[in-house]
Amino acid sequence: MEARSDSSQARSGDNKLPPPAAPKPRVQVWFVTVCSTILIWTCLVQLFAAGELWRTRIFTGQVSRFSAPVEPVPLPPPLPPPRNYTSNGILLVSCNGGLNQMRSAICDMVTVARLLNLTLVVPELDKTSFWADPSGFEDIFDVRHFIDSLRDEVRIFRRLPKRYSSKYGYKMFEMPPVSWSDENYYLKQVLPLFSKHKVVHFNRTDTRLANNGLSLPLQWLRCRVNFQGLKFTPQLEALGSKLVRILQQRGPFVALHLRYEMDMLAFSGCTHGCSEEEAEELKKMRYTYPWWREKEINSEERRAQGLCPLTPEEVALVLKALGFDKNTQIYIAAGEIYGSEHRLSVLREAFPRIVKKEMLLESSELQQFQNHSSQMAALDFMVSVASNTFIPTYDGNMAKVVEGHRRYLGFKKTILLDRKRLVELLDLHNNSTLTWDQFAVAVKEAHERRTGAPTHRRVISDKPKEEDYFYANPQECLCEGTNCHDLYGRQTNYSSLTR
């Protein structure tokens, strides 16, 4: 009895459940779950990366058996060391004019900043001129390259520090520097202004630095900014290169800067070949813009002085007289021709292989640059520099800057038309005084020495407006010291940019 009782007691004890455990806090459960999830995902990522590594090695090994090894991508050249100097102040500049006028001004302003030991703010571009282009510096030029490539000469800020902004109540000193000024003007009259104001705003920048009489280091710096510091944006460079490639695949080509555009005709007062209605329209436009101070202009007198761009009809005769035949490929480097296509009919009949960028590129490729005249001008600039022959019909800013670039690239052929002489010859031919053969011989003779070959820049010390423009012929930058005698006929202490 006792044994059974003990046994039954043991069995009844076995059937009793243990007391329930205390529930775990929710925070502890959440913490364990999160840690487990992170651990699992970390393992998965590591496994995936290891698998990709092995797959890449295997694939690369297989490919390398059948193809040549891939060449390593060259590293960009090292940046020059930054120039260490105490800044005398901050220079803010607002450029005026079209693309190439502003380009030259930017080169001058970098040079002025270097001369005066200033900090330069990335220049502001003109948005209020006739073209009303909203493009900023960074829309046309590679800002990072501009700053980095010149860091051993000038410290450049992307934007003006906030404490000098008008939004913070700072009143900036503004001035237009005197045109065609030399080093003494900037050192003696401009530099003291920075001691007083710290920030000076140049609100006009065109032709504010002399063409001649500057020290060689300053002239070399102007060239360095122009030829090395100012690169177009990658988007513009890519599209410009595509244009050049398309043209070159079709054979040699002439870039014709046909400056027969509405703004040029209105500004110059040139109406030769226009109807009375067109002449009146151009006159009204000239009166609309206050900065075109000369209002009443005698068009025929201006033309006789060689101060008018040639008409498309005149260009057709001149090109044929120079020896270009109807198979010549001609790229029109210009905006909208005044009078549109009907004014190009005679030129197109004489030279059927006339093309424009709008004919060579898809509309979608040009769409982002539409209504941005400076960006469109940048495309024409690149094509003009790369062309086999460059012919400007007017010696404006683009013609001059392209001429200088072509000289820098080895004195590429640039036919600089003598418009005063050509007008005389054209009128004589048109009234049958000169036969075609006589006209052609006279045109060729007039341009034998106007092909962009090495020549000295003309200096007129008391008439800087009439002397040769520095950026059209930056002779100080075009040869090594030992080669200048061969190029210019006498030994000169000029130097190249690489020195």
Side-chain angles (χ1 to χ4, degrees):
M1 286 292 294
E2 292 180 1
R4 283 196 303 269
S5 176
D6 292 341
S7 175
S8 62
Q9 288 178 3
R11 283 196 299 269
S12 65
D14 290 340
N15 291 334
K16 289 182 180 180
L17 295 173
K24 294 182 180 180
R26 291 184 179 180
V27 174
Q28 185 178 354
V29 174
W30 176 85
F31 180 76
V32 171
T33 303
V34 170
C35 290
S36 301
T37 303
I38 293 173
L39 181 61
I40 291 170
W41 275 108
T42 303
C43 294
L44 288 174
V45 169
Q46 294 292 335
L47 288 170
F48 179 78
E52 284 293 307
L53 180 61
W54 280 105
R55 188 168 67 85
T56 302
R57 286 180 177 176
I58 294 170
F59 179 75
T60 305
Q62 290 174 345
V63 171
S64 64
R65 297 175 188 173
F66 304 102
S67 61
V70 178
E71 292 292 332
V73 178
L75 295 174
L79 296 176
R83 178 168 168 254
N84 186 18
Y85 67 100
T86 300
S87 176
N88 289 323
I90 298 176
L91 175 61
L92 181 68
V93 299
S94 294
C95 301
N96 56 290
L99 173 64
N100 292 285
Q101 182 172 317
M102 292 191 291
R103 183 188 186 104
S104 302
I106 292 167
C107 300
D108 287 349
M109 293 302 104
V110 171
T111 303
V112 169
R114 176 63 174 83
L115 172 66
L116 303 183
N117 287 332
L118 302 174
T119 297
L120 178 70
V121 179
V122 169
E124 297 176 350
L125 301 190
D126 193 343
K127 298 178 176 62
T128 61
S129 65
F130 164 79
W131 301 275
D133 187 342
S135 301
F137 188 99
E138 67 282 355
D139 298 313
I140 299 173
F141 300 109
D142 187 330
V143 181
R144 186 73 266 159
H145 174 81
F146 176 70
I147 295 173
D148 289 344
S149 65
L150 299 170
R151 55 188 265 161
D152 59 332
E153 296 284 0
V154 178
R155 190 177 304 137
I156 303 175
F157 289 166
R158 277 184 176 265
R159 55 189 60 86
L160 187 68
K162 289 183 178 180
R163 64 181 179 276
Y164 297 117
S165 172
S166 58
K167 294 180 180 179
Y168 288 81
Y170 186 82
K171 191 173 182 180
M172 193 176 302
F173 179 79
E174 296 188 354
M175 64 172 290
V178 176
S179 299
W180 293 288
S181 296
D182 59 12
E183 295 171 63
N184 286 331
Y185 165 78
Y186 284 100
L187 288 169
K188 295 179 180 179
Q189 298 189 43
V190 176
L191 182 57
L193 297 173
F194 287 89
S195 300
K196 181 178 180 181
H197 301 284
K198 284 301 176 187
V199 180
V200 175
H201 178 204
F202 289 174
N203 50 21
R204 292 186 69 84
T205 58
D206 58 323
T207 62
R208 304 295 150 163
L209 194 59
N211 289 311
N212 303 292
L214 301 181
S215 62
L216 284 177
L218 292 185
Q219 299 289 55
W220 295 337
L221 179 55
R222 294 168 95 175
C223 291
R224 180 177 168 188
V225 182
N226 192 23
F227 300 127
Q228 298 176 9
L230 286 175
K231 284 180 60 178
F232 293 120
T233 63
Q235 294 85 352
L236 282 169
E237 290 276 356
L239 199 56
S241 297
K242 182 176 180 178
L243 266 174
V244 172
R245 188 167 60 252
I246 292 172
L247 287 161
Q248 290 176 339
Q249 288 171 350
R250 299 181 176 199
F253 69 97
V254 173
L256 178 66
H257 187 219
L258 189 60
R259 196 67 170 92
Y260 200 77
E261 298 159 301
M262 189 175 188
D263 67 295
M264 185 70 254
L265 299 178
F267 172 76
S268 62
C270 297
T271 57
H272 181 76
C274 295
S275 66
E276 291 184 6
E277 293 77 10
E278 289 172 330
E280 185 62 27
E281 180 184 35
L282 294 170
K283 182 177 180 179
K284 286 181 179 178
M285 180 180 177
R286 185 164 64 253
Y287 274 81
T288 300
Y289 291 90
W291 53 83
W292 290 349
R293 297 177 182 176
E294 190 178 359
K295 305 298 185 180
E296 291 296 330
I297 299 174
N298 187 312
S299 175
E300 291 305 313
E301 286 184 5
R302 184 68 63 93
R303 178 174 176 268
Q305 295 168 356
L307 300 177
C308 289
L310 298 181
T311 68
E313 296 84 357
E314 291 171 336
V315 171
L317 291 173
V318 170
L319 291 180
K320 287 196 291 185
L322 287 170
F324 295 100
D325 60 34
K326 66 177 184 179
N327 293 318
T328 303
Q329 181 182 202
I330 298 178
Y331 176 87
I332 302 292
E336 182 67 29
I337 302 302
Y338 188 61
S340 194
E341 279 298 312
H342 85 271
R343 289 310 301 265
L344 287 175
S345 58
V346 173
L347 182 60
R348 194 179 293 282
E349 182 180 354
F351 300 95
R353 297 186 66 200
I354 284 181
V355 294
K356 298 187 290 185
K357 52 185 169 293
E358 293 82 0
M359 299 168 59
L360 300 175
L361 299 172
E362 299 292 337
S363 58
S364 58
E365 294 177 293
L366 284 172
Q367 186 175 5
Q368 61 180 315
F369 306 115
Q370 295 290 349
N371 301 320
H372 295 83
S373 59
S374 291
Q375 296 182 50
M376 297 289 268
L379 296 174
D380 287 337
F381 179 90
M382 286 183 274
V383 174
S384 298
V385 169
S387 64
N388 298 89
T389 305
F390 175 62
I391 305 177
T393 63
Y394 187 80
D395 56 350
N397 288 292
M398 176 169 168
K400 292 173 181 176
V401 177
V402 170
E403 177 191 348
H405 268 69
R406 293 174 66 83
R407 288 179 182 274
Y408 177 71
L409 294 175
F411 300 97
K412 299 174 70 175
K413 188 174 183 179
T414 302
I415 300 179
L416 305 169
L417 299 180
D418 184 345
R419 291 187 306 282
K420 184 176 181 180
R421 176 63 175 149
L422 284 175
V423 165
E424 296 173 358
L425 295 174
L426 284 163
D427 289 346
L428 290 173
H429 173 64
N430 288 332
N431 65 22
S432 300
T433 302
L434 283 181
T435 67
W436 172 255
D437 288 342
Q438 291 171 327
F439 171 74
V441 168
V443 169
K444 288 176 182 175
E445 287 178 349
H447 295 88
E448 282 179 346
R449 297 187 178 184
R450 298 177 65 89
T451 59
T455 183
H456 286 289
R457 206 168 50 241
R458 182 180 51 171
V459 179
I460 308 176
S461 57
D462 58 337
K463 296 180 179 179
K465 283 187 178 182
E466 299 179 19
E467 65 185 11
D468 289 342
Y469 189 47
F470 173 83
Y471 292 100
N473 184 16
Q475 60 189 35
E476 295 88 337
C477 313
L478 302 181
C479 61
E480 298 282 357
T482 55
N483 297 330
C484 291
H485 178 73
D486 297 333
L487 284 174
Y488 294 102
R490 63 182 176 86
Q491 189 66 34
T492 314
N493 291 324
Y494 297 149
S495 173
S496 71
L497 290 174
T498 56
R499 188 168 178 176

